[in-house]
Amino acid sequence: MNLNEIPKEVTDILPEKMLQVIEKVETKNQVEEIRIRLDKNIHIVCSNEDFLILYKVTKSDIEGILNLATDYSFYANEESLLKGFITLKGGHRIGFSGSVIKENDKIISIRNINSLNIRIAREIVGVSNLVMPYILNKDKILNTLIVSPPKVGKTTLLRDISREISTNKKGYIGKRVCIVDERKEIAALHNGISRLNVGQKSDILEGIDKAYGMNMLIRAMSPQVIITDEVGKIEDISSLENCVLSGVNVISSAHGESMQDILNKKEFVPIIKKGIFDRYIFLENKNGIRKLKEIYNRSLERLI
């Protein structure tokens, strides 16, 4: 495997011995995840392949990766750590598991971290061409919910949609887009500058609860469109509705495989009945390729 195909932000935090064994792996597929489990082999997940590498992970391996990922400052990353993940430069995310310490039903610490999942973010300019005909009607943005199972690329898609709709083109004036980037993956800010292309007229609010962030942006930034990912809580849904009632278009994503999945989620039922979303776009992964599965309008009539 050519290590140049793995982002530098990721290779920089991996132990040299680990990189040496990863480099020997033969695969033509892009690496999507590197899973590192204490006392077990390295687990590599590619776009169309999944395998284990003979390497016994030690506690010092995991501690070393976390130290480099947090610049040796767990305290500065405490809020993210308590959510179960750290975001690297470039939008790559490290999820982890271990022993959760709770006090009064609130997580106060995570200790004895024994498993890491490094998810590699990839920017694919033009990937939104797949869905733009269903989101953009002349110069009007349609309120859209993008739905798919995990690992189909919803975040990558949202990023490119932002780039597309916020950029001036011949016959089209880019919209003022605000991104609520709770998990710091869509825009991947570093020192206030987006490491990924989210368009000419996009403003980013990161590391904040989605519901609060949406309401904050409406008051402060006068957006035409708000983009956020992974909505599901009742507070998220309520804030999306508030955006639309305030005259702001919304584009968001959620987990699911079918329209019935969304209808079975009680949080979504009120917003569906009110016709807040103009489009429901369902994606699937076919042999490592993202494809359109179904599209519905606000009346839940299937378009494709």
Side-chain angles (χ1 to χ4, degrees):
M1 180 187 301
N2 184 353
L3 290 179
N4 290 330
E5 296 177 1
I6 300 177
K8 188 175 186 299
E9 296 91 349
V10 175
T11 58
D12 279 351
I13 66 169
L14 295 178
E16 185 61 34
K17 290 183 179 179
M18 193 176 288
L19 288 173
Q20 289 172 3
V21 297
I22 291 175
E23 193 171 22
K24 294 177 182 178
V25 173
E26 294 183 7
T27 179
K28 295 181 179 180
N29 295 311
Q30 280 193 332
V31 177
E32 294 183 346
E33 295 181 353
I34 301 174
R35 291 179 172 262
I36 298 166
R37 302 178 176 97
L38 181 61
D39 208 36
K40 295 183 180 179
N41 292 326
I42 301 170
H43 181 187
I44 302 289
V45 180
C46 297
S47 54
N48 198 26
E49 197 174 7
D50 184 306
F51 50 87
L52 297 172
I53 300 175
L54 188 61
Y55 179 100
K56 192 171 184 179
V57 175
T58 66
K59 185 176 181 180
S60 62
D61 286 333
I62 291 176
E63 289 176 347
I65 291 169
L66 288 173
N67 281 332
L68 290 171
T70 61
D71 290 325
Y72 291 88
S73 179
F74 272 64
Y75 178 77
N77 292 271
E78 185 178 19
E79 187 175 348
S80 285
L81 288 163
L82 294 181
K83 290 181 179 179
F85 66 88
I86 303 165
T87 304
L88 302 175
K89 298 174 187 176
H92 317 291
R93 188 174 65 163
I94 304 178
F96 52 85
S97 60
S99 302
V100 174
I101 310 300
K102 296 180 72 176
E103 186 177 282
N104 297 324
D105 291 327
K106 181 179 179 181
I107 297 175
I108 61 170
S109 179
I110 299 178
R111 300 174 185 171
N112 299 321
I113 293 173
N114 54 34
S115 182
L116 305 176
N117 178 21
I118 304 173
R119 294 185 60 181
I120 296 174
R122 298 193 184 276
E123 184 174 47
I124 308 176
V125 174
V127 70
S128 63
N129 295 343
L130 181 71
V131 299
M132 285 311 302
Y134 306 98
I135 293 175
L136 185 62
N137 183 8
K138 295 182 180 178
D139 66 344
K140 181 183 178 183
I141 304 297
L142 301 178
N143 299 320
T144 301
L145 183 68
I146 297 169
V147 186
S148 82
K151 293 182 61 181
V152 178
K154 294 186 290 295
T155 302
T156 303
L157 187 58
L158 287 173
R159 181 186 305 126
D160 200 55
I161 289 171
S162 176
R163 179 194 62 81
E164 187 73 16
I165 66 176
S166 70
T167 301
N168 289 342
K169 301 172 193 170
K170 185 178 180 179
Y172 173 80
I173 299 175
K175 308 297 184 186
R176 298 187 306 274
V177 173
C178 282
I179 299 171
V180 185
D181 199 0
E182 181 175 358
R183 298 179 302 171
K184 307 179 183 181
E185 290 183 304
I186 302 176
L189 292 183
H190 179 58
N191 293 331
I193 299 172
S194 176
R195 297 283 295 244
L196 302 171
N197 187 357
V198 291
Q200 297 173 347
K201 299 180 181 179
S202 294
D203 303 299
I204 303 104
L205 185 65
E206 72 164 25
I208 189 171
D209 176 81
K210 285 185 282 287
Y212 188 85
M214 282 186 267
N215 292 326
M216 181 176 171
L217 287 170
I218 289 174
R219 295 190 300 268
M221 295 301 294
S222 184
Q224 292 173 292
V225 183
I226 284 182
I227 291 177
T228 190
D229 65 349
E230 307 297 353
V231 296
K233 297 185 296 184
I234 189 66
E235 295 87 355
D236 300 341
I237 308 302
S238 177
S239 292
L240 285 172
E241 182 178 358
N242 183 48
C243 290
V244 174
L245 294 177
S246 300
V248 179
N249 293 119
V250 296
I251 301 174
S252 193
S253 66
H255 287 308
E257 295 191 12
S258 66
M259 193 71 233
Q260 193 57 52
D261 277 353
I262 299 301
L263 289 169
N264 287 341
K265 296 179 180 181
K266 62 181 181 179
E267 295 85 359
F268 283 95
V269 172
I271 203 170
I272 292 172
K273 288 183 177 179
K274 293 176 183 177
I276 296 298
F277 287 115
D278 302 302
R279 291 287 184 268
Y280 299 88
I281 298 178
F282 291 84
L283 306 174
E284 62 182 347
N285 189 322
K286 287 287 188 180
N287 299 318
I289 300 173
R290 181 192 299 105
K291 292 189 175 183
L292 286 176
K293 182 180 180 183
E294 300 171 342
I295 297 181
Y296 295 83
N297 63 16
R298 70 164 62 188
S299 301
L300 304 190
E301 298 168 328
R302 185 169 175 176
L303 304 180
I304 68 167

